[in-house]
């Protein structure tokens, strides 16, 4: 009983102190001309609202505070959210002037084995990584991999889909994506090894944007454990690659390229971990090819309507809600000042579902990506923009189009539950795994 009383007293004192701390923080906002907004609850801030329903979180606060920029507190840190196409333009145009790359501390714990980046954005080597990847993943470098991607996808479809009346497409698509990434980035083709990594990466992505509570039973706890398994597996892969490089054996994967660049084992493991975590036209292309002929570079450029379908799907349900930055200088935007060191989040949802830029935004209409003079600038930015645009954009496009082409070529399908909910916030997923009825063509 005495212990219970002490615990209650401690909680009362804790929340009293927190209340005054947050109140004082709010009073300083007026003096500093910070963007409008709130801090939410002690410790957790507004993290719960953000994680449970990011789209509602953003729209509610844009209406309440400002459609351009507002402040909040989540993942244990002070953030400003920059909204709309003008916000996208400002951020992309000032990447090197005002911003540096950043990941919340909770995500750093998942992707980095050391904490050298905490509170200081990412290291210089981390900021150089996009340029390195842009060179490795540029379209002209990817040309030679198109046929290989096509071959792997065909084998995966034959193994996992052919002969089945109903399958869950979501887990299969995740598996095939990581299979391709393991082949391209690591040169891994062992199915058992890939399956092991798939299992662990599922835990990481599930826990990535939950409350960062590293206690048994939580999604974040399981994600932390999974990253340790992944690091161990990747350390083994890097060691094997180093031995092959030393022996002069030819290899053409990204892991080997990083070894040749002189990166340490730890750096390679961390960077690879981050990388592993990204219809009629199709039939015409299929008819133009011989039965066993694989896709080529020219075929990808013919899939304009298919890519419009993909873009519309990405517009309606972005695979990633947005990304993080840190202010490396004081800067002003929309009449407000953001201090150096504050964290910044920009999000695709403030434009991609806005009826001001997309007519009938809740209607699936791929034609919007093929008509007229195109979309208003900075309204459709699923891959970011400016100098830190996602370096894997073209790689993702090739993988998606090759997957779509092969599925359409081999099957017709109906979704089992057209009203299946999409759950999750930062990285949404279908609640039941998207089961479909398959019919061979």
């Amino acid at each position: 009983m005495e212990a219970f009383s002490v615990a209650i007293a401690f909680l009362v004192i804790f929340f009293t102190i927190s209340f005054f701390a947050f109140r004082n923080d709010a009073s300083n906002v007026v003096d500093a001309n910070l963007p409008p907004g709130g801090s939410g609850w002690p410790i957790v801030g507004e993290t719960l609202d953000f994680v449970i329903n990011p789209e509602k979180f953003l729209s509610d606060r844009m209406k309440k505070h400002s459609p351009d920029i507002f402040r909040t507190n989540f993942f244990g840190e002070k953030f400003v959210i920059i909204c709309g196409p003008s916000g996208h333009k400002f951020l992309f145009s000032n990447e090197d002037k005002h911003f540096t790359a950043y990941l919340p501390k909770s995500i750093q714990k998942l992707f980095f084995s050391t904490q050298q980046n905490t509170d200081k954005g990412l290291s210089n080597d981390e900021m150089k990584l996009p340029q390195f990847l842009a060179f490795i993943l540029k379209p002209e470098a990817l040309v030679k991999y198109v046929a290989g991607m096509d071959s792997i996808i065909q084998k995966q479809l034959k193994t996992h889909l052919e002969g089945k009346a109903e399958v869950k497409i979501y887990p299969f698509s995740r598996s095939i994506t990581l299979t391709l990434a393991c082949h391209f980035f690591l040169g891994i083709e062992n199915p058992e090894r890939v399956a092991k990594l798939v299992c662990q990466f599922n835990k990481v992505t599930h826990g990535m944007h939950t409350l960062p509570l590293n206690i048994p039973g939580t999604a974040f706890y399981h994600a932390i454990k999974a990253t340790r398994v992944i690091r161990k597996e990747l350390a083994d892969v890097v060691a094997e690659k180093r031995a092959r490089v030393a022996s002069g054996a030819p290899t053409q994967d990204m892991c080997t390229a990083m070894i040749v660049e002189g990166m340490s084992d730890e750096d390679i493991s961390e960077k690879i971990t981050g990388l592993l975590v990204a219809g009629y036209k199709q039939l015409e292309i299929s008819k133009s090819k011989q039965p066993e002929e694989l896709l080529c570079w020219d075929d990808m450029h013919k899939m304009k309507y298919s890519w419009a379908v993909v873009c519309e799907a990405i517009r309606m349900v972005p695979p990633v809600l947005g990304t993080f930055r840190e202010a490396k200088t004081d800067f002003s935007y929309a009449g407000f000042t953001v201090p150096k060191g504050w964290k910044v989040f920009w999000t695709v949802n403030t434009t991609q579902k806005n009826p001001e830029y997309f007519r009938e935004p809740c209607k699936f209409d791929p034609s919007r990506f093929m008509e007229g003079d195109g979309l208003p600038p900075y309204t459709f930015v699923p891959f970011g923009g400016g100098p830190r645009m996602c370096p894997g954009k073209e790689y993702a496009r090739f993988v998606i189009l090759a997957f779509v082409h092969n599925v359409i070529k081999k099957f017709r399908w109906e979704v089992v539950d057209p009203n299946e909910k999409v759950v999750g916030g930062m990285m949404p997923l279908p609640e039941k795994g998207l089961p479909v009825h398959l019919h061979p063509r």
Side-chain angles (χ1 to χ4, degrees):
M1 189 62 151
E2 183 179 349
F4 178 75
S5 299
V6 171
I8 292 296
F10 174 79
L11 287 174
V12 170
I13 294 171
F14 169 75
F15 280 109
T16 301
I17 294 172
S18 297
F19 171 77
F20 283 107
F22 273 74
R23 189 182 70 173
N24 291 338
D25 178 64
S27 66
N28 291 335
V29 169
V30 176
D31 297 335
N33 193 35
L34 297 180
S39 298
W41 292 92
I43 306 301
V44 298
E46 297 187 303
T47 307
L48 283 175
D49 288 344
F50 180 72
V51 170
I52 291 172
N53 192 333
E55 191 171 336
K56 185 176 186 301
F57 174 91
L58 293 167
S59 61
D60 286 352
R61 283 154 183 78
M62 288 174 69
K63 292 174 184 176
K64 181 179 180 180
H65 302 306
S66 166
D68 300 309
I69 186 172
F70 63 88
R71 64 181 175 85
T72 183
N73 185 304
F74 50 60
F75 300 118
E77 302 178 68
K78 296 175 181 179
F79 271 89
V80 293
I81 312 289
I82 293 181
C83 312
S86 296
H88 293 160
K89 181 179 180 180
F90 175 81
L91 191 145
F92 299 155
S93 302
N94 291 279
E95 283 277 19
D96 294 328
K97 181 179 180 182
H98 294 312
F99 305 101
T100 186
Y102 179 77
L103 289 175
K105 296 172 187 175
S106 58
I107 299 179
Q108 289 186 31
K109 289 180 181 178
L110 295 176
F111 286 101
F112 301 106
S113 58
T114 58
Q115 294 300 307
Q116 71 271 26
N117 304 313
T118 302
D119 297 326
K120 297 181 180 179
L122 298 184
S123 65
N124 289 333
D125 286 341
E126 283 299 320
M127 291 188 288
K128 292 176 183 177
L129 181 59
Q131 286 80 16
F132 174 74
L133 293 180
F135 176 77
I136 295 285
L137 298 175
K138 59 184 180 180
E140 47 269 42
L142 291 170
V143 173
K144 58 185 176 183
Y145 293 105
V146 173
M149 290 179 184
D150 188 27
S151 176
I152 292 172
I153 291 171
Q154 288 189 31
K155 291 175 182 176
Q156 291 289 311
L157 291 176
K158 185 173 183 178
T159 301
H160 299 286
L161 298 192
E162 285 189 9
K164 296 185 178 180
E166 182 178 318
V167 296
K168 292 184 178 181
I169 289 294
Y170 181 76
F172 171 69
S173 63
R174 286 175 67 91
S175 176
I176 202 170
T177 300
L178 192 57
T179 298
L180 287 165
C182 285
H183 177 84
F184 182 73
F185 297 139
L186 294 170
I188 296 177
E189 299 186 19
N190 184 306
E192 290 77 19
R193 205 170 202 176
V194 172
K196 181 179 181 181
L197 286 171
V198 168
C199 177
Q200 302 305 319
F201 270 102
N202 284 340
K203 295 176 183 178
V204 172
T205 55
H206 179 60
M208 190 184 303
H209 297 294
T210 58
L211 283 175
L213 301 175
N214 190 16
I215 53 180
T218 64
F220 190 75
Y221 172 82
H222 291 300
I224 289 287
K225 290 184 66 177
T227 58
R228 293 174 187 148
V229 176
I230 291 171
R231 286 196 190 109
K232 173 62 172 63
E233 191 69 27
L234 293 182
D236 292 343
V237 173
V238 173
E240 294 168 12
K241 294 294 177 182
R242 284 198 183 278
R244 289 181 62 85
V245 170
S247 69
T251 53
Q252 294 186 336
D253 53 79
M254 187 175 292
C255 179
T256 302
M258 290 180 176
I259 291 171
V260 173
E261 283 287 311
M263 294 185 183
S264 69
D265 288 6
E266 185 177 82
D267 281 346
I268 294 172
S269 179
E270 290 174 351
K271 290 167 178 56
I272 291 291
T273 301
L275 288 171
L276 294 177
V277 171
Y280 62 91
K281 291 287 183 180
Q282 300 289 356
L283 295 178
E284 288 180 1
I285 293 171
S286 178
K287 291 176 183 176
S288 70
K289 306 183 79 65
Q290 298 298 318
E292 302 300 321
E293 187 179 358
L294 296 172
L295 290 171
C296 65
W297 174 262
D298 289 340
D299 294 326
M300 293 296 181
H301 289 288
K302 296 175 184 177
M303 302 182 191
K304 291 183 172 58
Y305 183 76
S306 294
W307 185 241
V309 172
V310 172
C311 287
E312 180 68 344
I314 293 174
R315 182 193 69 80
M316 295 191 72
V317 185
V320 177
L321 185 64
T323 192
F324 303 92
R325 296 287 186 268
E326 179 178 342
K328 66 179 184 179
T329 64
D330 293 353
F331 70 88
S332 297
Y333 177 70
F336 301 102
T337 299
V338 177
K340 176 182 177 180
W342 273 50
K343 308 310 183 283
V344 179
F345 185 75
W346 70 268
T347 168
V348 299
N349 264 19
T350 60
T351 56
Q352 292 185 186
K353 288 191 176 180
N354 191 325
E356 183 177 348
Y357 313 117
F358 295 92
R359 67 181 186 278
E360 299 183 83
C362 294
K363 178 183 178 181
F364 190 84
D365 181 14
S367 66
R368 70 175 89 237
F369 287 92
M370 301 190 68
E371 59 189 26
D373 298 324
L375 304 172
Y378 300 100
T379 57
F380 182 69
V381 288
F383 297 99
R388 289 196 178 91
M389 175 180 282
C390 175
K393 175 183 177 181
E394 288 302 313
Y395 171 78
R397 185 169 73 92
F398 286 3
V399 169
I400 293 170
L401 288 177
F403 178 78
V404 169
H405 171 81
N406 280 287
V407 171
I408 290 175
K409 181 173 70 173
K410 291 181 176 293
F411 303 102
R412 292 178 294 105
W413 67 88
E414 299 94 33
V415 177
V416 173
D417 181 6
N419 298 314
E420 181 178 358
K421 291 182 179 180
V422 175
V423 298
M426 293 289 289
M427 302 181 74
L429 68 154
E431 191 173 41
K432 302 174 185 176
L434 193 60
V436 299
H437 295 300
L438 286 179
H439 309 281
R441 290 189 180 275

